[in-house]
Amino acid sequence: MSRYNSEEALTKASLVASQEQLFRCPICKSSMRVNRLSSLDCSNGHCFDISKHGYVNLLPRPSKSKYDKSLFVSRSMISNSGFFDPLIEYVCDLLIRRRESHSEIQTLLDAGCGEGSHLRSIISNLEERPGRKRYLGTGIDIAKEGILLASKASPDLVWCVADLANSPFADRQFDAIVNILSPSNYAEFGRLLKEDGVLIKVIPGKSYLQELRELLYGRKSRERDSSGHTIGLFSRYFELIETKEIRYRKRLSPEESSLLVQMTPLAWGASPELKMSDNLPRELEVTVDFTVLYGKPKPVPAAEESI
Ligand SMILES: [Zn+2]
């Protein structure tokens, strides 16, 4: 490693050091300190390396992710094309609404952040708004490939490879948690949020990319509508303040259509042949359809359950 790269790695590790109060050991739950800007150690001697890119791998054991690098690269490119912008704008409206009466520095966790595009977009959107406050953005995902891309693209945010079911954060650390198109662990969200914190969960609506699905699977293909089940579970753990459908149209180039197919194959159960489909039209207009759930913790947590 060159001297320059070495200094750069130290700068990135110092960001984790400045936020060490966020963490607790995923093995023994004790507090953690950054040691020599090279690892995050708990008081019982469990050590987790800080990578040269600045992210921390807090998985007690390596985990095999079902998502590979190409999926995260596709999602990053789609995100950069503005595909999610109206959704991000609304998520930021909700975050702004909450912050008016709160402290100058806001802590925000993206639970299941993947390659970090959404968190990056949210932080830059918020910081461009009037009366801006500082945001400390933290992203967590079990997929190391995603976190590696995230830490390279946004070294100014905190990134962790970790298991949401056993998250490496101390109680009551976050003003807000966003959970976008990713599984939830509501018991953990309740533990991690400050008492007056907020949870924003985004799920696909039933019309999400229906035109693309029909092309690939035929006219009868429909997104499974599980929003009722998700809202029910959300409401068991959180007080649901607001539900909003965000629906818009997006014109896609063949390349963008292909990227979308690549980034969502598992959700659709597509076969490899379909994923490789080169029969996509030159231009396709699709429906983008999300449901956004916005809530705050209930005073008494219910039994643990995940979806
Ligand atoms: Zn420990």
Side-chain angles (χ1 to χ4, degrees):
M1 188 186 284
S2 73
R3 186 165 176 275
Y4 172 76
N5 282 340
S6 179
E7 283 177 2
E8 192 179 42
L10 287 179
T11 306
K12 290 173 179 175
S14 65
L15 176 65
V16 177
S18 72
Q19 301 305 316
E20 62 188 9
Q21 80 287 348
L22 286 179
F23 295 94
R24 79 172 194 188
C25 178
I27 298 171
C28 70
K29 304 191 186 340
S30 65
S31 61
M32 305 189 87
R33 300 291 301 269
V34 169
N35 181 20
R36 297 167 186 263
L37 293 181
S38 66
S39 66
L40 190 57
D41 302 356
C42 86
S43 49
N44 289 319
H46 299 120
C47 302
F48 300 89
D49 286 343
I50 301 174
S51 84
K52 66 177 179 182
H53 299 292
Y55 71 83
V56 197
N57 188 337
L58 286 140
L59 285 178
R61 286 171 298 282
S63 171
K64 189 90 181 111
S65 168
K66 55 190 172 179
Y67 300 111
D68 63 9
K69 184 178 175 183
S70 65
L71 178 141
F72 293 120
V73 170
S74 299
R75 204 172 84 169
S76 178
M77 291 168 75
I78 283 290
S79 189
N80 289 340
S81 78
F83 182 84
F84 294 105
D85 284 359
L87 171 68
I88 296 297
E89 186 75 13
Y90 180 68
V91 168
C92 291
D93 289 348
L94 290 175
L95 290 167
I96 292 282
R97 192 195 297 177
R98 187 260 169 196
R99 79 174 182 183
E100 297 303 336
S101 58
H102 291 76
S103 62
E104 280 303 310
I105 299 178
Q106 303 273 298
T107 46
L108 174 62
L109 175 68
D110 184 351
C113 64
E115 82 302 333
S117 312
H118 296 316
L119 183 59
R120 183 161 56 251
S121 304
I122 288 168
I123 296 284
S124 62
N125 182 307
L126 288 171
E127 292 188 341
E128 283 168 7
R129 295 193 180 208
R132 64 187 192 182
K133 300 186 178 183
R134 267 193 70 209
Y135 286 86
L136 296 173
T138 300
I140 171 180
D141 203 287
I142 201 164
K144 186 177 163 187
E145 289 288 358
I147 293 295
L148 177 59
L149 290 171
S151 62
K152 285 180 179 174
S154 302
D156 53 333
L157 305 176
V158 177
W159 303 103
C160 307
V161 183
D163 184 357
L164 190 55
N166 181 28
S167 72
F169 303 113
D171 297 355
R172 312 265 175 266
Q173 291 298 317
F174 295 99
D175 292 289
I177 296 177
V178 295
N179 176 231
I180 301 176
L181 306 174
S182 183
S184 297
N185 186 309
Y186 295 107
E188 275 294 86
F189 293 165
R191 183 180 72 77
L192 299 179
L193 277 174
K194 294 178 183 175
E195 279 181 24
D196 59 351
V198 293
L199 171 62
I200 299 169
K201 179 171 177 65
V202 179
I203 56 177
K206 65 178 186 302
S207 304
Y208 183 54
L209 301 182
Q210 62 183 1
E211 300 83 358
L212 194 52
R213 277 183 285 120
E214 283 168 8
L215 270 175
L216 293 171
Y217 302 106
R219 297 210 62 80
K220 290 207 165 78
S221 170
R222 296 181 72 98
E223 177 76 10
R224 191 165 56 93
D225 185 10
S226 57
S227 60
H229 177 70
T230 304
I231 290 169
L233 203 50
F234 186 103
S235 304
R236 277 178 54 195
Y237 292 83
F238 283 79
E239 184 184 323
L240 185 60
I241 300 169
E242 188 175 300
T243 304
K244 181 154 176 107
E245 291 182 358
I246 304 286
R247 193 175 294 140
Y248 49 96
R249 307 276 293 170
K250 191 91 174 82
R251 191 173 289 277
L252 302 174
S253 68
E255 190 197 10
E256 287 169 336
S257 300
S258 172
L259 288 170
L260 270 170
V261 174
Q262 286 167 38
M263 69 183 242
T264 46
L266 293 156
W268 298 357
S271 68
E273 297 74 42
L274 283 173
K275 279 193 275 176
M276 297 302 288
S277 171
D278 55 4
N279 295 323
L280 295 165
R282 288 217 49 77
E283 239 181 33
L284 179 64
E285 194 172 291
V286 292
T287 307
V288 189
D289 181 18
F290 301 112
T291 301
V292 182
L293 313 180
Y294 175 64
K296 60 181 184 181
K298 285 183 174 174
V300 183
E304 200 164 319
E305 189 170 348
S306 304
I307 180 172

